[in-house]
Amino acid sequence: MPIFRKSQNTPDGVDPGRLPRHIAIIMDGNGRWAQKRGLPRTAGHAAGAETFRTIANYCKEIGIEYLTVYAFSTENWRRPPEEVGAIMRLLGRYLDEALEDMERNRIRIVFFGDLEPLTPELRALCDRAHSASMRYSEAQANICLNYGGRDEITRAVRALARECAAGERDPESITEADISARLYSAGVPDPDLIIRPSGEIRTSNFLLWQSAYSEYYFTDVLWPDFSKEELNRAIASYQARSRRFGGV
Ligand code: FPP
């Protein structure tokens, strides 16, 4: 007899009682997807933005509380300006639509990263989408924008060093929780499952601190082709593992 009653929205092969609370995704492979079709790389990013919409809504539908996606890293500024511009415009378009569809999607939107170097227009849009979606508590999408794991940890260390220099705390009193509380992800549980499509097998500066005990799922599928079925496979793989967090 099943222990958990299968909810209407639980996909086959997925145990509704052991869903990851937090899934994080490196949305990789947009460029190759476009190249394979003889299209400009920006077409791959546009298709990738569409996949993000589908997967974010699906995560909420099946009961995933937190979804974190790597949209633009601190290193992505090295790309050609046209590509950077196209990714920023896609984000802007997504946020415009998210603001329009907010009541239907009911997803809280949070940004991880330093938004300072963005254009004032995009920054204002990020602020509006964040503020307007704060009232939703069922599902949260964290969009990593101008984000880098090392940069995030460096900022947390600087903040703590400032407190020590001001005599507000003793360096010996600093705990792991103090560092976690100064990351962009403060208050968000660590990701249970991190997915990287496109065949690359590395972390690329993504959630370095938070991923200490995350389970990884790698697939050759390119991000624009990533589907609900592929997400189900990733969750089923996660559920088949034994998480010991350093214990036995
Ligand atoms: C990595 O693929 C992808 C990016 C650096 C950009 C991701 C951005 C989006 C999907 C669009 C906007 C996002 C949202 C949340 C609406 P790549 O270009 O490195 O692919 P490649 O390795 O095949 O070249």
Side-chain angles (χ1 to χ4, degrees):
M1 209 169 73
I3 301 172
F4 302 103
R5 199 166 56 83
K6 188 174 179 306
S7 101
Q8 207 186 336
N9 295 328
T10 307
D12 287 338
V14 169
D15 176 348
R18 291 193 305 124
L19 281 176
R21 275 188 83 188
H22 183 174
I23 295 181
I25 306 182
I26 300 177
M27 303 188 290
D28 198 9
N30 296 345
R32 278 164 285 167
W33 182 92
Q35 249 160 7
K36 270 172 59 179
R37 287 163 177 74
L39 298 170
R41 292 176 56 80
T42 50
H45 296 311
E50 204 47 58
T51 303
F52 166 72
R53 275 187 198 86
T54 305
I55 295 298
N57 288 325
Y58 184 60
C59 279
K60 174 167 181 286
E61 188 187 316
I62 64 173
I64 305 297
E65 289 172 69
Y66 298 92
L67 171 69
T68 301
V69 291
Y70 211 177
F72 194 85
S73 76
T74 43
E75 289 71 38
N76 285 153
W77 295 106
R78 294 179 196 146
R79 294 187 178 214
E82 316 81 68
E83 185 170 341
V84 171
I87 295 174
M88 296 300 165
R89 278 192 296 281
L90 283 165
L91 276 158
R93 193 182 309 160
Y94 165 73
L95 293 173
D96 269 335
E97 285 168 16
L99 276 159
E100 269 177 35
D101 290 348
M102 201 137 268
E103 244 331 281
R104 187 152 52 89
N105 297 335
R106 305 182 69 81
I107 298 176
R108 180 184 289 181
I109 298 172
V110 175
F111 294 92
F112 290 180
D114 175 18
L115 304 191
E116 205 52 37
L118 306 184
T119 62
E121 294 76 23
L122 186 55
R123 246 181 11 235
L125 209 46
C126 292
D127 281 349
R128 275 176 53 212
H130 175 63
S131 316
S133 65
M134 275 306 281
R135 58 183 186 270
Y136 308 121
S137 54
E138 214 179 308
Q140 176 168 323
N142 305 309
I143 300 178
C144 296
L145 188 46
N146 191 25
Y147 170 88
R150 287 184 173 183
D151 178 64
E152 180 183 38
I153 295 168
T154 305
R155 284 164 189 273
V157 169
R158 261 192 227 129
L160 284 164
R162 273 196 297 270
E163 292 173 33
C164 292
E168 290 161 13
R169 69 152 63 235
D170 171 4
E172 294 308 316
S173 73
I174 296 172
T175 62
E176 291 185 8
D178 290 323
I179 296 181
S180 295
R182 283 158 185 79
L183 301 177
Y184 294 118
S185 57
V188 172
D190 287 343
D192 301 293
L193 171 63
I194 299 183
I195 299 172
R196 182 162 196 164
S198 92
E200 306 292 357
I201 307 178
R202 55 176 172 265
T203 58
S204 298
N205 207 8
F206 187 47
L207 304 176
L208 295 184
W209 177 271
Q210 300 88 336
S211 60
Y213 285 102
S214 302
E215 296 294 330
Y216 278 87
Y217 179 84
F218 296 102
T219 168
D220 287 339
V221 171
L222 303 173
W223 175 247
D225 289 331
F226 195 90
S227 59
K228 297 175 185 177
E229 291 70 30
E230 193 58 39
L231 189 79
N232 295 343
R233 275 194 281 281
I235 296 174
S237 161
Y238 162 84
Q239 291 184 332
R241 305 180 197 179
S242 142
R243 299 184 81 193
R244 293 187 293 279
F245 299 93
V248 284

